[in-house]
Amino acid sequence: MYALIQKNLVEQDKTMIAKIFFYITHPCVFIIFSLVLLHLEATTTNQNIAVGGEENDANGAIKKCSDEERHTLLNFKSHLQDTDGFLSTWRDEEDDCCRWRGVTCNTQTGHVTRLEVGPSGLVGKISHSLLNLTYLNHLDLSHNYLYGTIPTFIGSMTLLRYLNLAGNNLNGTIPRSIGSLTELSFLDLSYLSLYGTIPLELGNLTNLQVLSLGFVGRCRVENIKWLSHLSGLQTLNMDGISLDKANHWVNVISSFRNLSYLSLRGCELSKVMYPYSSFVNSSSSIVFLDLGNNSLNSSMYHWLFSLTSNSLFELDLSYNMLDGIPKYLGNLSNLEVLKLENNSAVIKFPDFLKNLSGCSSLTLAWLYASRSHFTGSLSDDIQNFSSLEFLYLSENQLNGTISEKLWELPMLGIVDVSFNYLRGGISEKIGNSKIFVIDLSRNSLDGVPSTDNISSLSYVEHIDLSSCKLGPRFPKWIQTLKNLTNLDISNTGISDTIPLEFWNMWPSRLHHLNLSSNNISGKVPDLLSSFDDNPVIDLSSNRFYGPIPNFPSTLKSLNLSRNKFFGGISFLCQLVHGYLEFLDLSHNFLAEQLPDCLWHFKELKVLNLGYNNLFGRLPTSIESLFKLEVLYLYNNDFSGELPLSLKNCTSLTSLNLGVNKFSGNVPIWIGENLSGLYVLILRSNNFFGTIPSQLCQLAYLQVLDMSMNNLHGIIPSCLDNLTSMVQEGFSEKQNIQKYSSTKNTTGVVNLAYNGRYVDNAMIKWQGDEREFINNLRLLKSIDLSSNNLTGQIPYELTNLFELLALNLSHNALFGEIPWKIGQMKKLLTLDLSRNNFSGGIPISMSQVTLLSYLDVSFNNLSGRIPSSTQLQSFEPSRYNGNKELCGPPITKICPGDEELEVPPVIGESEGGGNGISELWRWFYIGGVTGFATGFWIACGALLVNNRGRHAFFHFLDSFKDQVYVNVVVFVVKLQRVVRA
């Protein structure tokens, strides 16, 4: 893509001087360029010595490194593992260490002055012996695998002017002793695993020009004043360091006269109470400014003004909460790159363009604003941005039509407005542009410009119109685009055949072709000479038929799934160059043995041959698939034992061999060698023997399906070692479009498209088979049903707290259901039917409140079904075949339920405890209160009237018997309702 961009700029009459200025003035490139020059200088010096250009002193003696420094370096090496052989020249028999790789000596004295061994794959701790290199002024150990803490003795190496420890596994805190290195002009501690407060002693490094603490770990700044002493800073990177207590940090930054590069990404700037004081110096020299991922809102524009000037070249405000931009940004006369990706506040795009329509509109070349909340239309104001070269507005909420003025911009090379709500036809003015990459996918655009206009798109190399409306006829205008290398017209409603000449339009040029998810029919001819090297071809989900044609031997990705291809797959043996990474031939009518020519496919990551009629044994050449992550052979006729060679495929994360005729014991090497598996499906085969306990070693396993085989023996008690089913969280191993087209960190479309794939599996779920695709990684399931397993359910199984589905049905298991099964609170489906379980249903099962499917039918269970909202909600048939079960929801009444029961005494619960149900509590409170009130009213009246007193007690004697019977019957009925 980088080469494409360069080519585009050249073809748009960009002069070489302008391009050089563009790259040299970019601060990142400037820093890297400077470091490269320093490295080349050191390498040249070292090589001059190594090739025989030794320096002599005044007396003609050759100056070599001293024995002490040579032994020091050997001691340093002895503490390290040299995994890449970088230090292979460091040998005891080589007496001049100035010849060693990464070592630079003073040509006059022979003393070691520079040590540059990064990145070089070194593993170990930093040796204390470095202190003996007393003349060392340059130390680069970056991007290795060094661990431990940053040693405090580094503070004693006071001649150091350059120190780079970035990109290692160092932890702990930043030692205060680094503040003693007052000669330092370059310090890089980024990408470590440190914590704690940034020491104030760093303020002593007054000669620093470059300070990089980006993503140094969980560090924070308590007081920003130490930074104000580093007045010579040119580059400052503090990404990821919390500055939430750094009041007046804007004033400190504004005081640096030479600062050109400032990156404060993810520094919690929105939490700073007082980012600036009343007076802020606004004479900024910053060229590159990154304030992304700080949750800033538009109130930040008050202090941003002091950090911006006409020097500003690139501004990154992505991952914030901005609802617009101020007009003063539109007046910056050198702003060329503006980033606003992933902005969470709504911005009206027409207003955004108007606020930028000052000097910036004449210089802005790159606008990145993908995945934000831009609304409105792509208005005519876009015509003011005459320097615009790259426009990325994908995944916003733009609507309306695309302004025709867009296609008239003279410098525009890449347009990506995919995944919006744009509608209408594709403007005919697109034919007047000189665009190289057009991505209008996932919009509601329909139609195409006339043939005359589209034929003038001679510059277009990449066009993506996926999910637009092009059909039903095949768009023949595509054949006029002579320079195409990438074409995606997937899911565009095409229901037609393809002209035969289409396949030969771009001989040895086309790199990526995607015609998937249409209704295209016909045969596909041989395509041996139609594609460039490492092509990516996706013809899936159409109606292509016939034998699979021949493809280029350098094929990188091929998806022919969900078509009507038939015959064999011997074409695989012609792909001898071994570049193939992705192959999906599933859902066709292929019928042949898998050819034994897989030796070449050392780069293959996905092999999907499911839903065909392939047969025979797996070839031994499968052992060459070292990088294979997905092997999907579901629903074929493969047979025989699994070859031992399959254990070499140690990168496997998903192994699906279900619905075949494989036989033999379940191999123990699956658990021993395939440690990265998160999906293992062996269902509906002819495996026999016991379940190997080695499967318990699969810590990432989330889906285990060994149902419908001939397995016997007990369920291994070690299943609680399946860590992913015990701990919260879901697999990160699922291949979700892992090989789809992506964008690199700069937002440029990555043309190395590798096909689309999402792990999927057919799982028996709640009695029915269901296909899990995008949600497969969320599933945690064990299915051992329809085997001959015996013994009890191991109590350890109840430790799988995160398990969602458990199916042990159709076996010969016996004993009681574990009483702790209630702690599996995440269970959604539980099937224990058709076994020999006895005893009662554990009361704890009433705690599994998420249970939506339960089947315990046809066992020997007995006793009352525990009361809970869930257990009484299932159909009675889920409890059938258990003669001794009773209570709702089945009709059998438990013993004692038909007898009248005296209400329990106050203070006693049904189970004999001390608790009182809320219902009875209020019943007694109301009864006692009413009785007391009525009693004293009645007594007062009876004491006065003798005749009334005799009549009342006569009535009471006859009434109390009737009331007693009615009340007792009512209470019994009420208890039954409460229990249900």
Side-chain angles (χ1 to χ4, degrees):
M1 189 61 200
Y2 179 79
L4 173 62
I5 294 172
Q6 282 190 318
K7 177 180 176 182
N8 295 346
L9 294 176
V10 170
E11 302 214 13
Q12 294 175 68
D13 298 323
K14 294 286 283 184
T15 66
M16 186 60 68
I17 295 176
K19 285 199 290 183
I20 292 173
F21 178 78
F22 176 89
Y23 290 109
I24 289 182
T25 54
H26 193 290
C28 295
V29 178
F30 179 78
I31 294 170
I32 295 171
F33 184 70
S34 302
L35 294 178
V36 169
L37 287 180
L38 289 173
H39 178 71
L40 289 177
E41 178 186 356
T43 306
T44 306
T45 305
N46 207 14
Q47 288 176 343
N48 287 338
I49 297 175
V51 225
E54 295 91 344
E55 294 288 342
N56 298 352
D57 62 10
N59 299 321
I62 298 176
K63 290 297 181 182
K64 300 179 180 179
C65 73
S66 66
D67 287 342
E68 181 183 2
E69 292 185 338
R70 186 169 64 86
H71 289 304
T72 293
L73 292 174
L74 290 175
N75 186 286
F76 172 75
K77 177 184 177 182
S78 68
H79 289 80
L80 303 172
Q81 299 177 41
D82 185 17
T83 58
D84 295 343
F86 186 91
L87 305 181
S88 58
T89 58
W90 294 29
R91 300 188 302 272
D92 192 35
E93 56 271 22
E94 175 58 65
D95 60 351
D96 188 3
C97 65
C98 295
R99 297 175 180 268
W100 295 353
R101 185 178 183 184
V103 178
T104 302
C105 297
N106 184 296
T107 56
Q108 302 299 320
T109 64
H111 289 301
V112 176
T113 57
R114 300 168 68 99
L115 181 58
E116 299 173 281
V117 290
S120 50
L122 301 179
V123 181
K125 292 188 176 182
I126 301 175
S127 170
H128 191 275
S129 61
L130 285 179
L131 267 180
N132 295 327
L133 300 178
T134 54
Y135 293 89
L136 197 68
N137 59 53
H138 186 112
L139 178 59
D140 186 353
L141 305 178
S142 63
H143 300 287
N144 284 292
Y145 303 96
L146 303 177
Y147 55 85
T149 60
I150 299 176
T152 57
F153 69 76
I154 282 185
S156 301
M157 306 174 71
T158 54
L159 293 184
L160 282 179
R161 295 194 295 270
Y162 182 104
L163 176 59
N164 192 347
L165 302 178
N168 282 286
N169 298 323
L170 299 171
N171 53 34
T173 60
I174 299 176
R176 297 173 182 267
S177 60
I178 287 184
S180 302
L181 305 179
T182 55
E183 297 296 319
L184 275 183
S185 62
F186 184 102
L187 176 61
D188 191 347
L189 302 179
S190 56
Y191 295 98
L192 299 177
S193 300
L194 308 179
Y195 61 87
T197 303
I198 303 297
L200 301 179
E201 285 76 6
L202 291 189
N204 298 333
L205 308 181
T206 55
N207 288 312
L208 271 183
Q209 297 178 16
V210 175
L211 176 59
S212 184
L213 302 176
F215 301 108
V216 73
R218 291 175 288 108
C219 292
R220 62 187 310 105
V221 169
E222 296 289 345
N223 191 322
I224 199 70
K225 288 184 179 180
W226 63 269
L227 190 61
S228 62
H229 301 301
L230 311 183
S231 57
L233 277 181
Q234 299 175 13
T235 295
L236 176 60
N237 184 343
M238 299 180 71
D239 292 344
I241 293 178
S242 177
L243 298 179
D244 61 340
K245 295 184 179 180
N247 287 328
H248 302 159
W249 68 269
V250 176
N251 298 73
V252 174
I253 297 299
S254 299
S255 67
F256 298 141
R257 294 290 180 267
N258 300 317
L259 189 66
S260 61
Y261 181 101
L262 175 63
S263 188
L264 300 177
R265 193 172 192 85
C267 293
E268 299 185 321
L269 296 181
S270 62
K271 297 181 180 180
V272 180
M273 189 73 69
Y274 305 107
Y276 64 100
S277 63
S278 57
F279 173 76
V280 178
N281 193 325
S282 60
S283 57
S284 174
S285 59
I286 298 175
V287 176
F288 175 94
L289 178 58
D290 187 348
L291 300 174
N293 195 21
N294 278 293
S295 300
L296 296 167
N297 57 38
S298 295
S299 65
M300 58 95 69
Y301 291 130
H302 294 295
W303 51 259
L304 179 64
F305 178 77
S306 64
L307 301 179
T308 59
S309 69
N310 284 333
S311 300
L312 193 61
F313 174 88
E314 179 171 339
L315 176 61
D316 191 339
L317 300 176
S318 57
Y319 291 90
N320 280 299
M321 302 163 55
L322 308 172
D323 58 6
I325 61 169
K327 289 186 177 181
Y328 69 73
L329 290 183
N331 296 325
L332 302 179
S333 58
N334 282 302
L335 186 65
E336 293 195 23
V337 181
L338 178 59
K339 297 182 179 180
L340 283 168
E341 300 112 317
N342 290 277
N343 187 64
S344 60
V346 175
I347 299 179
K348 295 180 180 179
F349 193 65
D351 294 343
F352 172 82
L353 291 179
K354 288 178 181 178
N355 283 357
L356 272 183
S357 295
C359 298
S360 297
S361 64
L362 303 176
T363 59
L364 194 66
W366 297 37
L367 176 58
Y368 301 91
S370 301
R371 297 177 301 280
S372 289
H373 288 76
F374 279 108
T375 62
S377 63
L378 214 165
S379 62
D380 288 348
D381 287 327
I382 195 71
Q383 67 184 322
N384 298 324
F385 295 82
S386 57
S387 296
L388 199 61
E389 300 172 19
F390 308 103
L391 177 63
Y392 297 95
L393 295 173
S394 63
E395 299 180 64
N396 277 285
Q397 299 170 20
L398 297 175
N399 51 41
T401 58
I402 301 175
S403 170
E404 295 186 355
K405 303 295 184 181
L406 176 69
W407 313 112
E408 299 175 359
L409 295 178
M411 309 299 292
L412 198 60
I414 295 180
V415 179
D416 183 354
V417 291
S418 58
F419 290 92
N420 278 287
Y421 301 96
L422 298 166
R423 59 184 183 273
I426 301 176
S427 169
E428 293 192 0
K429 290 195 175 182
I430 193 174
N432 301 322
S433 63
K434 297 182 179 180
I435 301 175
F436 298 85
V437 176
I438 301 175
D439 190 345
L440 305 177
S441 61
R442 277 74 175 180
N443 282 293
S444 300
L445 301 170
D446 60 78
V448 294
S450 66
T451 304
D452 292 338
N453 283 278
I454 204 71
S455 62
S456 62
L457 281 173
S458 57
Y459 294 91
V460 172
E461 297 183 4
H462 177 125
I463 188 166
D464 187 346
L465 299 175
S466 58
S467 298
C468 294
K469 300 174 184 178
L470 300 183
R473 308 298 296 175
F474 187 82
K476 295 183 180 181
W477 54 265
I478 291 176
Q479 295 174 230
T480 65
L481 307 179
K482 303 297 184 181
N483 290 317
L484 272 186
T485 61
N486 295 262
L487 173 63
D488 189 339
I489 52 173
S490 59
N491 191 30
T492 51
I494 299 174
S495 182
D496 197 2
T497 58
I498 296 180
L500 188 61
E501 61 272 15
F502 167 85
W503 302 103
N504 299 314
M505 277 304 304
W506 304 276
S508 302
R509 180 174 178 83
L510 204 59
H511 177 75
H512 165 214
L513 175 64
N514 190 350
L515 306 178
S516 65
S517 301
N518 283 291
N519 197 25
I520 303 172
S521 60
K523 291 185 176 181
V524 180
D526 283 350
L527 301 175
L528 291 172
S529 60
S530 300
F531 291 86
D532 192 7
D533 286 341
N534 309 125
V536 173
I537 303 173
D538 190 347
L539 307 181
S540 62
S541 300
N542 281 289
R543 293 189 296 123
F544 291 112
Y545 62 88
I548 295 179
N550 292 316
F551 290 95
S553 61
T554 60
L555 194 66
K556 187 173 185 179
S557 175
L558 178 64
N559 192 345
L560 302 180
S561 63
R562 300 180 188 275
N563 278 287
K564 298 181 178 181
F565 290 107
F566 56 78
I569 54 177
S570 57
F571 78 97
L572 292 176
C573 297
Q574 300 176 14
L575 307 180
V576 295
H577 284 85
Y579 297 125
L580 192 66
E581 294 183 6
F582 177 92
L583 179 64
D584 190 347
L585 304 179
S586 61
H587 294 272
N588 280 288
F589 301 100
L590 304 173
E592 191 182 51
Q593 295 191 47
L594 188 58
D596 194 10
C597 59
L598 305 181
W599 310 103
H600 309 295
F601 301 142
K602 292 181 172 57
E603 300 297 321
L604 192 64
K605 294 183 176 68
V606 173
L607 176 59
N608 189 348
L609 302 176
Y611 293 93
N612 281 290
N613 300 311
L614 300 169
F615 57 87
R617 294 174 175 267
L618 296 184
T620 56
S621 57
I622 203 170
E623 67 181 0
S624 300
L625 308 181
F626 301 117
K627 295 186 178 181
L628 193 66
E629 298 177 10
V630 176
L631 180 58
Y632 191 106
L633 303 180
Y634 191 85
N635 201 353
N636 279 282
D637 289 310
F638 289 109
S639 59
E641 297 186 1
L642 297 184
L644 185 62
S645 57
L646 188 59
K647 74 176 185 179
N648 292 332
C649 303
T650 55
S651 297
L652 276 171
T653 61
S654 177
L655 178 61
N656 192 337
L657 307 179
V659 193
N660 279 283
K661 298 176 181 177
F662 290 112
S663 59
N665 290 298
V666 177
I668 63 174
W669 49 257
I670 292 181
E672 294 174 340
N673 293 70
L674 309 184
S675 59
L677 283 179
Y678 88 98
V679 172
L680 175 60
I681 298 178
L682 304 178
R683 73 181 299 240
S684 191
N685 277 285
N686 298 318
F687 289 109
F688 53 81
T690 60
I691 300 175
S693 61
Q694 286 80 1
L695 294 185
C696 298
Q697 301 175 26
L698 300 175
Y700 297 105
L701 197 64
Q702 289 189 189
V703 178
L704 174 61
D705 189 347
M706 306 178 73
S707 62
M708 303 177 69
N709 281 284
N710 300 308
L711 303 174
H712 64 266
I714 64 173
I715 299 174
S717 61
C718 59
L719 285 180
D720 58 349
N721 290 332
L722 301 177
T723 309
S724 285
M725 299 188 188
V726 177
Q727 299 176 349
E728 291 186 8
F730 299 102
S731 175
E732 299 299 330
K733 292 178 173 292
Q734 185 182 16
N735 297 283
I736 301 179
Q737 298 185 0
K738 184 171 183 178
Y739 310 110
S740 62
S741 49
T742 58
K743 294 179 182 178
N744 62 26
T745 54
T746 64
V748 178
V749 176
N750 179 6
L751 302 184
Y753 178 95
N754 291 340
R756 289 188 177 95
Y757 180 80
V758 181
D759 280 349
N760 59 91
M762 293 296 298
I763 304 291
K764 189 173 183 181
W765 181 263
Q766 300 187 353
D768 299 315
E769 283 196 358
R770 184 180 302 177
E771 186 173 19
F772 285 75
I773 303 178
N774 293 311
N775 53 356
L776 181 61
R777 65 180 292 270
L778 306 179
L779 181 64
K780 295 184 178 183
S781 166
I782 294 179
D783 191 346
L784 304 178
S785 64
S786 301
N787 282 288
N788 301 310
L789 300 175
T790 57
Q792 298 184 348
I793 298 178
Y795 73 88
E796 291 87 354
L797 192 67
T798 63
N799 292 330
L800 302 179
F801 306 124
E802 295 295 309
L803 197 66
L804 302 180
L806 176 62
N807 190 346
L808 303 178
S809 65
H810 292 81
N811 279 290
L813 299 170
F814 56 82
E816 295 187 350
I817 300 172
W819 65 273
K820 292 174 61 177
I821 197 169
Q823 66 186 11
M824 303 174 71
K825 298 184 184 299
K826 298 288 184 71
L827 274 179
L828 300 176
T829 175
L830 175 63
D831 193 342
L832 304 177
S833 63
R834 297 186 184 275
N835 280 283
N836 298 312
F837 293 119
S838 58
I841 297 176
I843 295 177
S844 68
M845 195 178 290
S846 62
Q847 301 172 14
V848 189
T849 56
L850 298 178
L851 199 63
S852 58
Y853 180 90
L854 172 69
D855 194 345
V856 294
S857 61
F858 298 99
N859 282 285
N860 298 312
L861 300 173
S862 59
R864 182 187 301 274
I865 298 173
S867 298
S868 78
T869 305
Q870 294 300 111
L871 298 182
Q872 271 67 48
S873 67
F874 298 115
E875 294 292 330
S877 60
R878 305 288 177 82
Y879 301 95
N880 284 351
N882 296 281
K883 295 182 179 179
E884 301 302 320
L885 273 184
C886 63
I890 62 178
T891 56
K892 184 176 180 179
I893 300 176
C894 292
D897 283 358
E898 70 278 1
E899 300 177 3
L900 298 180
E901 300 177 4
V902 179
V905 180
I906 298 176
E908 294 184 294
S909 66
E910 186 181 24
N914 295 322
I916 304 175
S917 71
E918 196 69 10
L919 176 64
W920 284 112
R921 183 187 303 276
W922 288 106
F923 176 84
Y924 289 125
I925 291 174
V928 170
T929 304
F931 174 79
T933 304
F935 175 80
W936 288 111
I937 293 175
C939 285
L942 294 176
L943 289 173
V944 175
N945 189 337
N946 289 332
R947 182 180 296 180
R949 183 166 59 250
H950 289 289
F952 172 80
F953 285 110
H954 177 74
F955 168 79
L956 184 62
D957 287 336
S958 59
F959 180 74
K960 68 178 181 180
D961 294 330
Q962 181 180 356
V963 170
Y964 175 79
V965 173
N966 290 336
V967 168
V968 171
V969 170
F970 170 77
V971 169
V972 171
K973 290 181 179 179
L974 182 61
Q975 286 177 329
R976 289 180 179 175
V977 172
V978 172
R979 289 172 185 168

